[in-house]
Amino acid sequence: AMVAGRYEGAGRLVILDADTLAARHAFIAAERNALGHFDPLELGESDAADFAVIENFLDTYLWTARRLRPLTWRPDLYDVANGFDILLSRRFADRESRLRLAGERMRQVPGFYAAARANLTNPTLEHTDAAIARHRHNFRLFAAFLPAQIEASKLSSEEKLELVALCRRSAVAILQHGAWLASLRDRLAKDGARSSRLGGALFDEKFALEVGAGRNAVQVHELAARTRDEVHARMAPLAESLWPRYFPGTAWPRDPLVGIRRVLERLGGDQVTCGYLQTVEGQVAELREFVESRDLVELDPTRPLVLRKAPGDDVIAASAQAPGPYDPGGTTYYNIAMPAGGDLAREYNRRTLQILNMHEAMPGHYVQLTHANRASVVSSIFRNSAPTEGWGLYAERLMLEQGF
């Protein structure tokens, strides 16, 4: 609900225990049955589109709960931080009120992780590692960030003491769960763990529900391989034209892929070593000016984009975090990871950082989500990731084709 911009239940942290999951599954199943009373052919165009979105959401939920069952093997899904981040960053109420709501949520943190441990009967090693990495951020949230927010607030001394005590209690619960994860990881590494791969059958079912492209895993792989070869064929002459600039006096390699790789490695060396956020801010401003000068898509000046360092230790380079349709005046955050060298810094060097900003910000997800919140509430809330990511990729191609 908070993601969609509804904050009435912001003080409640949903504990995914057996009773809660059973009630949720029963509700979704009943709603899916009720949907059968409608004939989409008798609906108007807009309502028929909403019908398809709801149908896909319900079918995907039920298939995930019955067939995929990720809550039994993905420890990384149990993460309390996201709700607190929304609660603290969206200004739907004054800071003191939002901190009180955070206190209500913190009372439920120990139960949240207890339910997680009960559910995780067959975890993978890879997702256990992801959960351990994420836990470091979660601990800092309750051990440092939240207490600092509380101390800086206008709450009474008594309220501050109570909330700081809840922070400590939550931090202890996270440490206990982190120790359990570490022990679990040792056991999985020693005794073996289930594969994180879905296998062909599950992949095909998941792909059909989430993407609906009319292709199975083998067909997707074949299409990807053909596309890769086509891209390599277009990259080779570009890399060869750059070769004399970066490798003067050296012959172009016989294998074009070797030449492409070496040129990319040299280009990847042009990294942003300082002022990363300022560089992103400057590039986004250039992209906005380019979009406006060519009238490529309508921009809403009342919905500003706020850049900030990405919360936590995510290795995801960037993400757009928009308010939902019920919070039309909310702020859209462009979360930027701060690479300290390594693969992420090479991948998102000064040049490819522009591509990232096209995809996530301008005219990518930020612009898309702004428009999506004006359209159907149904399609905005039950958004499918396939067209969302499709827009981001289209935004990249559009900007390059327009000559940016």
Side-chain angles (χ1 to χ4, degrees), residues 138-163:
N138 291 351
F139 176 75
R140 289 198 297 272
L141 171 67
F142 295 104
F145 181 77
L146 255 176
Q149 293 286 310
I150 293 166
E151 290 300 330
S153 72
K154 298 178 182 178
L155 293 167
S156 67
S157 299
E158 293 76 11
E159 284 184 297
K160 288 182 178 180
L161 286 173
E162 181 183 8
L163 289 176

PDB file of all heavy atoms in Angstrom, residues 138-163:
ATOM      1  N   ASN A 138      20.714  -3.233   6.819  1.00  0.00           N
ATOM      2  CA  ASN A 138      19.585  -3.230   7.736  1.00  0.00           C
ATOM      3  C   ASN A 138      20.032  -2.971   9.171  1.00  0.00           C
ATOM      4  O   ASN A 138      19.359  -2.257   9.925  1.00  0.00           O
ATOM      5  CB  ASN A 138      18.840  -4.562   7.655  1.00  0.00           C
ATOM      6  CG  ASN A 138      18.127  -4.734   6.330  1.00  0.00           C
ATOM      7  OD1 ASN A 138      18.050  -3.800   5.531  1.00  0.00           O
ATOM      8  ND2 ASN A 138      17.631  -5.925   6.062  1.00  0.00           N
ATOM      9  N   PHE A 139      21.178  -3.552   9.535  1.00  0.00           N
ATOM     10  CA  PHE A 139      21.682  -3.319  10.888  1.00  0.00           C
ATOM     11  C   PHE A 139      22.027  -1.844  11.083  1.00  0.00           C
ATOM     12  O   PHE A 139      21.670  -1.236  12.102  1.00  0.00           O
ATOM     13  CB  PHE A 139      22.910  -4.186  11.153  1.00  0.00           C
ATOM     14  CG  PHE A 139      23.542  -3.924  12.497  1.00  0.00           C
ATOM     15  CD1 PHE A 139      22.949  -4.388  13.663  1.00  0.00           C
ATOM     16  CD2 PHE A 139      24.717  -3.181  12.591  1.00  0.00           C
ATOM     17  CE1 PHE A 139      23.519  -4.123  14.907  1.00  0.00           C
ATOM     18  CE2 PHE A 139      25.287  -2.920  13.815  1.00  0.00           C
ATOM     19  CZ  PHE A 139      24.695  -3.392  14.981  1.00  0.00           C
ATOM     20  N   ARG A 140      22.695  -1.233  10.106  1.00  0.00           N
ATOM     21  CA  ARG A 140      23.058   0.179  10.233  1.00  0.00           C
ATOM     22  C   ARG A 140      21.817   1.073  10.290  1.00  0.00           C
ATOM     23  O   ARG A 140      21.829   2.124  10.933  1.00  0.00           O
ATOM     24  CB  ARG A 140      23.962   0.599   9.074  1.00  0.00           C
ATOM     25  CG  ARG A 140      25.353   0.009   9.136  1.00  0.00           C
ATOM     26  CD  ARG A 140      26.310   0.785   8.229  1.00  0.00           C
ATOM     27  NE  ARG A 140      25.925   0.708   6.835  1.00  0.00           N
ATOM     28  CZ  ARG A 140      26.301  -0.254   6.008  1.00  0.00           C
ATOM     29  NH1 ARG A 140      27.064  -1.242   6.444  1.00  0.00           N
ATOM     30  NH2 ARG A 140      25.926  -0.247   4.744  1.00  0.00           N
ATOM     31  N   LEU A 141      20.755   0.659   9.599  1.00  0.00           N
ATOM     32  CA  LEU A 141      19.519   1.434   9.630  1.00  0.00           C
ATOM     33  C   LEU A 141      19.027   1.618  11.060  1.00  0.00           C
ATOM     34  O   LEU A 141      18.657   2.733  11.465  1.00  0.00           O
ATOM     35  CB  LEU A 141      18.447   0.724   8.795  1.00  0.00           C
ATOM     36  CG  LEU A 141      17.020   1.289   8.883  1.00  0.00           C
ATOM     37  CD1 LEU A 141      16.959   2.677   8.267  1.00  0.00           C
ATOM     38  CD2 LEU A 141      16.027   0.353   8.192  1.00  0.00           C
ATOM     39  N   PHE A 142      19.045   0.531  11.838  1.00  0.00           N
ATOM     40  CA  PHE A 142      18.509   0.584  13.196  1.00  0.00           C
ATOM     41  C   PHE A 142      19.560   0.955  14.235  1.00  0.00           C
ATOM     42  O   PHE A 142      19.226   1.476  15.299  1.00  0.00           O
ATOM     43  CB  PHE A 142      17.874  -0.760  13.563  1.00  0.00           C
ATOM     44  CG  PHE A 142      16.673  -1.090  12.729  1.00  0.00           C
ATOM     45  CD1 PHE A 142      16.746  -2.022  11.713  1.00  0.00           C
ATOM     46  CD2 PHE A 142      15.469  -0.443  12.934  1.00  0.00           C
ATOM     47  CE1 PHE A 142      15.646  -2.319  10.922  1.00  0.00           C
ATOM     48  CE2 PHE A 142      14.358  -0.720  12.153  1.00  0.00           C
ATOM     49  CZ  PHE A 142      14.453  -1.659  11.138  1.00  0.00           C
ATOM     50  N   ALA A 143      20.823   0.696  13.924  1.00  0.00           N
ATOM     51  CA  ALA A 143      21.877   0.999  14.894  1.00  0.00           C
ATOM     52  C   ALA A 143      22.366   2.432  14.798  1.00  0.00           C
ATOM     53  O   ALA A 143      22.885   2.975  15.784  1.00  0.00           O
ATOM     54  CB  ALA A 143      23.057   0.040  14.705  1.00  0.00           C
ATOM     55  N   ALA A 144      22.219   3.064  13.628  1.00  0.00           N
ATOM     56  CA  ALA A 144      22.784   4.402  13.463  1.00  0.00           C
ATOM     57  C   ALA A 144      21.816   5.395  12.838  1.00  0.00           C
ATOM     58  O   ALA A 144      21.544   6.463  13.416  1.00  0.00           O
ATOM     59  CB  ALA A 144      24.066   4.316  12.612  1.00  0.00           C
ATOM     60  N   PHE A 145      21.263   5.071  11.646  1.00  0.00           N
ATOM     61  CA  PHE A 145      20.491   6.065  10.910  1.00  0.00           C
ATOM     62  C   PHE A 145      19.218   6.468  11.656  1.00  0.00           C
ATOM     63  O   PHE A 145      18.958   7.668  11.863  1.00  0.00           O
ATOM     64  CB  PHE A 145      20.142   5.529   9.519  1.00  0.00           C
ATOM     65  CG  PHE A 145      19.355   6.504   8.692  1.00  0.00           C
ATOM     66  CD1 PHE A 145      19.984   7.585   8.094  1.00  0.00           C
ATOM     67  CD2 PHE A 145      17.983   6.359   8.522  1.00  0.00           C
ATOM     68  CE1 PHE A 145      19.265   8.505   7.334  1.00  0.00           C
ATOM     69  CE2 PHE A 145      17.255   7.267   7.779  1.00  0.00           C
ATOM     70  CZ  PHE A 145      17.897   8.342   7.188  1.00  0.00           C
ATOM     71  N   LEU A 146      18.404   5.498  12.032  1.00  0.00           N
ATOM     72  CA  LEU A 146      17.144   5.822  12.714  1.00  0.00           C
ATOM     73  C   LEU A 146      17.364   6.524  14.050  1.00  0.00           C
ATOM     74  O   LEU A 146      16.690   7.529  14.345  1.00  0.00           O
ATOM     75  CB  LEU A 146      16.303   4.561  12.889  1.00  0.00           C
ATOM     76  CG  LEU A 146      15.105   4.405  11.961  1.00  0.00           C
ATOM     77  CD1 LEU A 146      14.426   3.073  12.168  1.00  0.00           C
ATOM     78  CD2 LEU A 146      14.110   5.536  12.182  1.00  0.00           C
ATOM     79  N   PRO A 147      18.295   6.048  14.906  1.00  0.00           N
ATOM     80  CA  PRO A 147      18.536   6.777  16.158  1.00  0.00           C
ATOM     81  C   PRO A 147      18.941   8.230  15.927  1.00  0.00           C
ATOM     82  O   PRO A 147      18.525   9.123  16.684  1.00  0.00           O
ATOM     83  CB  PRO A 147      19.679   5.973  16.802  1.00  0.00           C
ATOM     84  CG  PRO A 147      19.493   4.585  16.293  1.00  0.00           C
ATOM     85  CD  PRO A 147      19.027   4.761  14.883  1.00  0.00           C
ATOM     86  N   ALA A 148      19.728   8.489  14.864  1.00  0.00           N
ATOM     87  CA  ALA A 148      20.117   9.874  14.582  1.00  0.00           C
ATOM     88  C   ALA A 148      18.907  10.704  14.180  1.00  0.00           C
ATOM     89  O   ALA A 148      18.776  11.877  14.579  1.00  0.00           O
ATOM     90  CB  ALA A 148      21.166   9.892  13.469  1.00  0.00           C
ATOM     91  N   GLN A 149      17.994  10.120  13.391  1.00  0.00           N
ATOM     92  CA  GLN A 149      16.768  10.820  13.016  1.00  0.00           C
ATOM     93  C   GLN A 149      15.910  11.118  14.243  1.00  0.00           C
ATOM     94  O   GLN A 149      15.311  12.194  14.354  1.00  0.00           O
ATOM     95  CB  GLN A 149      15.978   9.961  12.017  1.00  0.00           C
ATOM     96  CG  GLN A 149      16.639   9.784  10.675  1.00  0.00           C
ATOM     97  CD  GLN A 149      16.564  11.041   9.828  1.00  0.00           C
ATOM     98  OE1 GLN A 149      15.502  11.622   9.663  1.00  0.00           O
ATOM     99  NE2 GLN A 149      17.694  11.483   9.324  1.00  0.00           N
ATOM    100  N   ILE A 150      15.861  10.170  15.131  1.00  0.00           N
ATOM    101  CA  ILE A 150      15.053  10.337  16.347  1.00  0.00           C
ATOM    102  C   ILE A 150      15.627  11.456  17.219  1.00  0.00           C
ATOM    103  O   ILE A 150      14.894  12.334  17.705  1.00  0.00           O
ATOM    104  CB  ILE A 150      14.990   9.003  17.126  1.00  0.00           C
ATOM    105  CG1 ILE A 150      14.201   7.973  16.318  1.00  0.00           C
ATOM    106  CG2 ILE A 150      14.372   9.209  18.507  1.00  0.00           C
ATOM    107  CD1 ILE A 150      14.352   6.557  16.816  1.00  0.00           C
ATOM    108  N   GLU A 151      16.932  11.446  17.416  1.00  0.00           N
ATOM    109  CA  GLU A 151      17.561  12.457  18.261  1.00  0.00           C
ATOM    110  C   GLU A 151      17.408  13.854  17.673  1.00  0.00           C
ATOM    111  O   GLU A 151      17.318  14.844  18.404  1.00  0.00           O
ATOM    112  CB  GLU A 151      19.046  12.124  18.461  1.00  0.00           C
ATOM    113  CG  GLU A 151      19.290  10.907  19.343  1.00  0.00           C
ATOM    114  CD  GLU A 151      18.721  11.080  20.750  1.00  0.00           C
ATOM    115  OE1 GLU A 151      18.659  12.240  21.244  1.00  0.00           O
ATOM    116  OE2 GLU A 151      18.309  10.075  21.353  1.00  0.00           O
ATOM    117  N   ALA A 152      17.385  13.968  16.348  1.00  0.00           N
ATOM    118  CA  ALA A 152      17.273  15.276  15.701  1.00  0.00           C
ATOM    119  C   ALA A 152      15.839  15.779  15.622  1.00  0.00           C
ATOM    120  O   ALA A 152      15.598  16.908  15.189  1.00  0.00           O
ATOM    121  CB  ALA A 152      17.868  15.203  14.293  1.00  0.00           C
ATOM    122  N   SER A 153      14.881  14.967  16.035  1.00  0.00           N
ATOM    123  CA  SER A 153      13.469  15.320  15.910  1.00  0.00           C
ATOM    124  C   SER A 153      12.999  16.190  17.075  1.00  0.00           C
ATOM    125  O   SER A 153      13.746  16.464  18.025  1.00  0.00           O
ATOM    126  CB  SER A 153      12.617  14.045  15.859  1.00  0.00           C
ATOM    127  OG  SER A 153      12.572  13.432  17.130  1.00  0.00           O
ATOM    128  N   LYS A 154      11.728  16.600  17.000  1.00  0.00           N
ATOM    129  CA  LYS A 154      11.120  17.402  18.055  1.00  0.00           C
ATOM    130  C   LYS A 154      10.289  16.562  19.020  1.00  0.00           C
ATOM    131  O   LYS A 154       9.472  17.095  19.767  1.00  0.00           O
ATOM    132  CB  LYS A 154      10.233  18.482  17.426  1.00  0.00           C
ATOM    133  CG  LYS A 154      10.990  19.463  16.549  1.00  0.00           C
ATOM    134  CD  LYS A 154      10.042  20.486  15.918  1.00  0.00           C
ATOM    135  CE  LYS A 154      10.791  21.442  15.004  1.00  0.00           C
ATOM    136  NZ  LYS A 154       9.868  22.418  14.346  1.00  0.00           N
ATOM    137  N   LEU A 155      10.511  15.251  18.994  1.00  0.00           N
ATOM    138  CA  LEU A 155       9.806  14.371  19.915  1.00  0.00           C
ATOM    139  C   LEU A 155      10.212  14.667  21.350  1.00  0.00           C
ATOM    140  O   LEU A 155      11.298  15.195  21.613  1.00  0.00           O
ATOM    141  CB  LEU A 155      10.113  12.911  19.581  1.00  0.00           C
ATOM    142  CG  LEU A 155       9.580  12.380  18.245  1.00  0.00           C
ATOM    143  CD1 LEU A 155      10.218  11.038  17.917  1.00  0.00           C
ATOM    144  CD2 LEU A 155       8.055  12.253  18.277  1.00  0.00           C
ATOM    145  N   SER A 156       9.342  14.295  22.286  1.00  0.00           N
ATOM    146  CA  SER A 156       9.674  14.485  23.700  1.00  0.00           C
ATOM    147  C   SER A 156      10.806  13.548  24.099  1.00  0.00           C
ATOM    148  O   SER A 156      11.083  12.546  23.414  1.00  0.00           O
ATOM    149  CB  SER A 156       8.444  14.211  24.572  1.00  0.00           C
ATOM    150  OG  SER A 156       8.102  12.829  24.507  1.00  0.00           O
ATOM    151  N   SER A 157      11.445  13.847  25.201  1.00  0.00           N
ATOM    152  CA  SER A 157      12.543  12.999  25.678  1.00  0.00           C
ATOM    153  C   SER A 157      12.068  11.583  25.940  1.00  0.00           C
ATOM    154  O   SER A 157      12.783  10.604  25.658  1.00  0.00           O
ATOM    155  CB  SER A 157      13.138  13.593  26.964  1.00  0.00           C
ATOM    156  OG  SER A 157      13.663  14.880  26.721  1.00  0.00           O
ATOM    157  N   GLU A 158      10.844  11.452  26.480  1.00  0.00           N
ATOM    158  CA  GLU A 158      10.311  10.118  26.766  1.00  0.00           C
ATOM    159  C   GLU A 158      10.094   9.320  25.480  1.00  0.00           C
ATOM    160  O   GLU A 158      10.436   8.128  25.396  1.00  0.00           O
ATOM    161  CB  GLU A 158       8.986  10.230  27.534  1.00  0.00           C
ATOM    162  CG  GLU A 158       9.111  10.799  28.944  1.00  0.00           C
ATOM    163  CD  GLU A 158       9.305  12.310  28.963  1.00  0.00           C
ATOM    164  OE1 GLU A 158       9.142  12.950  27.891  1.00  0.00           O
ATOM    165  OE2 GLU A 158       9.640  12.845  30.033  1.00  0.00           O
ATOM    166  N   GLU A 159       9.543   9.983  24.460  1.00  0.00           N
ATOM    167  CA  GLU A 159       9.328   9.291  23.184  1.00  0.00           C
ATOM    168  C   GLU A 159      10.654   8.896  22.543  1.00  0.00           C
ATOM    169  O   GLU A 159      10.785   7.807  21.971  1.00  0.00           O
ATOM    170  CB  GLU A 159       8.528  10.179  22.236  1.00  0.00           C
ATOM    171  CG  GLU A 159       7.049  10.279  22.553  1.00  0.00           C
ATOM    172  CD  GLU A 159       6.308  11.094  21.520  1.00  0.00           C
ATOM    173  OE1 GLU A 159       6.605  12.294  21.394  1.00  0.00           O
ATOM    174  OE2 GLU A 159       5.434  10.524  20.827  1.00  0.00           O
ATOM    175  N   LYS A 160      11.628   9.780  22.627  1.00  0.00           N
ATOM    176  CA  LYS A 160      12.941   9.473  22.058  1.00  0.00           C
ATOM    177  C   LYS A 160      13.548   8.241  22.717  1.00  0.00           C
ATOM    178  O   LYS A 160      14.075   7.347  22.035  1.00  0.00           O
ATOM    179  CB  LYS A 160      13.886  10.668  22.205  1.00  0.00           C
ATOM    180  CG  LYS A 160      13.559  11.838  21.293  1.00  0.00           C
ATOM    181  CD  LYS A 160      14.567  12.968  21.468  1.00  0.00           C
ATOM    182  CE  LYS A 160      14.271  14.126  20.526  1.00  0.00           C
ATOM    183  NZ  LYS A 160      15.239  15.236  20.673  1.00  0.00           N
ATOM    184  N   LEU A 161      13.478   8.178  24.033  1.00  0.00           N
ATOM    185  CA  LEU A 161      14.031   7.026  24.746  1.00  0.00           C
ATOM    186  C   LEU A 161      13.336   5.739  24.327  1.00  0.00           C
ATOM    187  O   LEU A 161      13.980   4.699  24.106  1.00  0.00           O
ATOM    188  CB  LEU A 161      13.893   7.237  26.259  1.00  0.00           C
ATOM    189  CG  LEU A 161      14.849   8.244  26.903  1.00  0.00           C
ATOM    190  CD1 LEU A 161      14.480   8.466  28.359  1.00  0.00           C
ATOM    191  CD2 LEU A 161      16.287   7.749  26.790  1.00  0.00           C
ATOM    192  N   GLU A 162      12.017   5.800  24.195  1.00  0.00           N
ATOM    193  CA  GLU A 162      11.258   4.608  23.807  1.00  0.00           C
ATOM    194  C   GLU A 162      11.624   4.159  22.395  1.00  0.00           C
ATOM    195  O   GLU A 162      11.836   2.962  22.140  1.00  0.00           O
ATOM    196  CB  GLU A 162       9.763   4.893  23.895  1.00  0.00           C
ATOM    197  CG  GLU A 162       8.898   3.691  23.523  1.00  0.00           C
ATOM    198  CD  GLU A 162       7.414   4.005  23.550  1.00  0.00           C
ATOM    199  OE1 GLU A 162       7.058   5.188  23.714  1.00  0.00           O
ATOM    200  OE2 GLU A 162       6.611   3.055  23.387  1.00  0.00           O
ATOM    201  N   LEU A 163      11.713   5.103  21.448  1.00  0.00           N
ATOM    202  CA  LEU A 163      12.009   4.748  20.069  1.00  0.00           C
ATOM    203  C   LEU A 163      13.441   4.255  19.910  1.00  0.00           C
ATOM    204  O   LEU A 163      13.699   3.315  19.149  1.00  0.00           O
ATOM    205  CB  LEU A 163      11.761   5.947  19.150  1.00  0.00           C
ATOM    206  CG  LEU A 163      10.298   6.326  18.941  1.00  0.00           C
ATOM    207  CD1 LEU A 163      10.191   7.582  18.087  1.00  0.00           C
ATOM    208  CD2 LEU A 163       9.532   5.188  18.293  1.00  0.00           C
TER     209      LEU A 163
END
